[in-house]
Amino acid sequence: MISFENISYKYPFSGKFAVKNINFKVKPGEVYLITGESGCGKSTLAKIANGLIPHYLNGTLTGKVSNLGIYNSAVSLTDISNRAGTLFQDPEQQFFCTDVYSEMAFAHEVKQKSVKDIQDTVAAYADKFELTDILDSSVFTLSEGEKQKVALASVLSLEPKCLILDEPTANLSPEATEMLARQIEQLKKDGFAVMIVDHRLYWLEGIADKVLIMKDGEIKHAVSHEDITKNNFNEKYGLRLTRLDFARKYDKNTAKEGLKVTGLNFAYGKKPAIFENFGMIFPKGKISSLSGANGAGKTTLSRLITGLLKPKSGTFELNGKIYKPKELLKKSGLVLQNMDHQLYAEKVIEEVDGKIELLKKMRLESFATRHPHSLSGGQKQRLVIAAAVAKDPEIIILDEPTSGLDGRNMKIIGQILKEEADRGKIIVVITHDLEFINLYCDFQLRI
């Protein structure tokens, strides 16, 4: 059981509560989904549940939280982690090793399990998460979706009776998300207490026992999954859709103006080729989504187009003129999956070259003088997108730009990208977000 009793918490040097008056219990065999707009306190609850607050992060915490009946305040962080497994919002933050097999084996080695038990466990969970083919790979060469699957597999392989998952589907393909849903369903049957923080709601239909809707650090409603739509909470609290009823389709566009990639060949070192004589067109004045399985090469393609990786061969043509990838970088705005790698300024306003109107569009104007790294995950995501748009590039490539966004902010991003497309920009969105694709993308491409 995961239990919150009258929990309130303030971060250090903060004048207001991040969360306040929180009370709920996730019993064995239950799944609780916690959702709400970016910055409402969801991830803070995850850090309180797994003991990072107050054992690692200071601040002012009142009330009691327990896992399996043992109060977190009475035991060490190590003891808590033996009972409560956590998937962080950024899986890189919980990696200890440099290759996939060692990462999945690490915690079992610490527990001094036999070599055979470790090998069998790693093999079983690698098979469950379709990771067998990359067990020898460096974690630094994985896609964000693959990193998320490695982190999930590592946590679940320890079989903790309490699970705390922070945005577990953020970078997963629809197929991987469906697989995770089935695993959560089985864990529920096996008596696990599961607490999930997520903006995406549809994948837990029929699985979540209760949905806690948060706003300004408080739980406003504790409802069933189906009651969200019945009570119009999607609009009221800026939530995502609870059901996706549209079919996916993929286009082979034949646009003449735009970004044209032809004859692309690339492989990482001596590994099998990711692209062989690959070609694709991203039309001018349109939003194109780029989909594919985790590890298919979507992020790699964005890095090849912008010169961050060197292809073996290939041609990149922009509006009828051939460019070298490094030349295209000067004409491009690239938004990477890991926002922290793109935030360098001392203040939020400096990241967008002083364009306060752009911050207003992104609902970030009140944070103008804050340090960018002090923002929530969703706020950082909006900021790096704003920074790319501020440069007024001809090409905007965004890698999973909506992974940490609630419904209201997803719509803001979608509208801004539509405005940029209407100005003749080439917009490429690498995404698994079916809701965003359906609402805002003109073309759906797949690799």
Side-chain angles (χ1 to χ4, degrees):
M1 180 189 293
I2 304 170
S3 176
F4 282 71
E5 302 173 33
N6 300 315
I7 288 289
S8 295
Y9 174 73
K10 283 183 185 179
Y11 282 98
F13 313 112
S14 175
K16 65 176 185 177
F17 284 101
V19 295
K20 50 193 173 184
N21 305 321
I22 303 297
N23 289 278
F24 67 89
K25 292 181 181 179
V26 187
K27 298 175 183 176
E30 288 187 333
V31 174
Y32 270 46
L33 170 60
I34 302 173
T35 194
E37 284 192 299
S38 298
C40 70
K42 304 182 301 297
S43 292
T44 299
L45 287 190
K47 291 169 187 170
I48 293 172
N50 65 23
L52 285 176
I53 296 173
H55 290 286
Y56 181 75
L57 297 168
N58 296 320
T60 304
L61 177 67
T62 59
K64 295 180 179 180
V65 62
S66 63
N67 289 290
L68 301 182
I70 301 173
Y71 288 116
N72 285 2
S73 59
V75 293
S76 69
L77 196 53
T78 302
D79 290 332
I80 296 168
S81 65
N82 285 328
R83 291 186 299 278
T86 303
L87 174 73
F88 295 157
Q89 206 167 1
D90 178 3
E92 283 186 12
Q93 293 182 354
Q94 62 194 97
F95 286 161
F96 286 87
C97 303
T98 57
D99 68 271
V100 174
Y101 181 91
S102 298
E103 178 61 33
M104 292 181 67
F106 177 75
H108 300 281
E109 291 170 347
V110 171
K111 291 176 178 290
Q112 299 184 328
K113 292 185 178 180
S114 71
V115 172
K116 186 177 186 309
D117 282 348
I118 293 172
Q119 290 174 339
D120 290 346
T121 300
V122 171
Y125 278 86
D127 183 60
K128 275 186 181 181
F129 282 83
E130 299 178 353
L131 298 169
T132 304
D133 291 342
I134 62 169
L135 282 175
D136 294 330
S137 298
S138 165
V139 296
F140 303 112
T141 63
L142 303 182
S143 71
E144 293 301 313
E146 288 172 326
K147 289 175 187 175
Q148 204 150 21
K149 288 164 71 175
V150 170
L152 267 170
S154 301
V155 170
L156 292 177
S157 72
L158 295 166
E159 298 185 342
K161 283 298 179 181
C162 299
L163 276 171
I164 300 142
L165 309 179
D166 195 353
E167 301 282 358
T169 65
N171 297 307
L172 296 184
S173 67
E175 294 79 12
T177 298
E178 176 62 25
M179 179 181 69
L180 177 60
R182 301 288 70 83
Q183 289 173 338
I184 297 295
E185 196 169 32
Q186 186 58 52
L187 290 169
K188 180 178 174 178
K189 291 176 182 176
D190 292 341
F192 287 71
V194 185
M195 172 179 157
I196 300 173
V197 171
D198 210 338
H199 288 299
R200 295 177 185 173
L201 310 179
Y202 74 91
W203 70 283
L204 288 170
E205 183 180 11
I207 298 174
D209 295 280
K210 194 75 71 177
V211 180
L212 306 183
I213 300 172
M214 293 189 68
K215 184 177 177 64
D216 298 329
E218 296 183 281
I219 296 173
K220 296 297 184 181
H221 301 279
V223 297
S224 65
H225 194 276
E226 56 267 25
D227 281 343
I228 295 173
T229 304
K230 285 180 183 178
N231 292 288
N232 200 32
F233 288 150
N234 305 77
E235 286 296 322
K236 185 175 181 180
Y237 293 102
L239 307 181
R240 295 292 198 105
L241 297 176
T242 55
R243 177 176 289 182
L244 303 181
D245 293 322
F246 50 87
R248 275 176 284 159
K249 66 182 193 313
Y250 298 102
D251 302 306
K252 187 175 182 180
N253 78 71
T254 56
K256 293 183 179 179
E257 273 197 307
L259 175 61
K260 185 178 181 181
V261 181
T262 54
L264 181 64
N265 291 281
F266 177 79
Y268 284 103
K270 296 181 179 180
K271 292 186 177 182
I274 295 177
F275 296 109
E276 290 183 293
N277 199 30
F278 175 83
M280 188 168 277
I281 303 173
F282 302 101
K284 181 179 179 179
K286 302 290 183 183
I287 301 176
S288 301
S289 72
L290 184 62
S291 304
N294 293 124
K298 303 180 298 296
T299 297
T300 299
L301 180 59
S302 71
R303 292 172 178 270
L304 288 164
I305 290 171
T306 53
L308 299 180
L309 290 173
K310 187 177 181 180
K312 182 179 178 181
S313 61
T315 301
F316 301 91
E317 186 179 316
L318 177 61
N319 297 328
K321 182 179 178 181
I322 293 175
Y323 288 87
K324 292 179 181 179
K326 286 188 178 180
E327 293 174 326
L328 281 181
L329 181 59
K330 297 176 183 178
K331 296 177 176 290
S332 304
L334 177 61
V335 176
L336 302 172
Q337 278 179 285
N338 192 323
M339 300 86 68
D340 292 328
H341 293 174
Q342 290 189 272
L343 297 173
Y344 306 108
E346 292 292 322
K347 296 178 181 179
V348 166
I349 188 68
E350 294 169 359
E351 294 283 358
V352 294
D353 300 328
K355 296 178 180 177
I356 190 68
E357 290 303 317
L358 191 50
L359 289 185
K360 287 179 180 178
K361 282 187 176 182
M362 294 287 189
R363 300 173 68 214
L364 292 171
E365 70 275 14
S366 61
F367 306 106
T369 58
R370 283 259 299 267
H371 195 287
H373 289 284
S374 71
L375 303 181
S376 73
Q379 290 162 348
K380 288 180 187 176
Q381 206 150 18
R382 277 143 51 206
L383 179 58
V384 293
I385 294 168
V389 171
K391 295 183 174 91
D392 197 27
E394 290 184 54
I395 306 166
I396 302 177
I397 303 175
L398 308 102
D399 199 346
E400 294 291 354
T402 63
S403 59
L405 295 185
D406 54 72
R408 183 167 288 134
N409 286 307
M410 177 196 69
K411 291 176 182 176
I412 289 172
I413 296 301
Q415 189 55 46
I416 288 173
L417 293 182
K418 273 206 170 292
E419 289 173 6
E420 292 299 305
D422 289 343
R423 293 177 59 209
K425 305 293 181 68
I426 298 165
I427 313 292
V428 181
V429 183
I430 300 169
T431 184
H432 296 300
D433 191 338
L434 301 181
E435 189 174 344
F436 181 85
I437 291 171
N438 186 60
L439 289 172
Y440 297 105
C441 294
D442 301 294
F443 290 95
Q444 299 180 45
L445 310 175
R446 185 176 177 87
I447 59 174

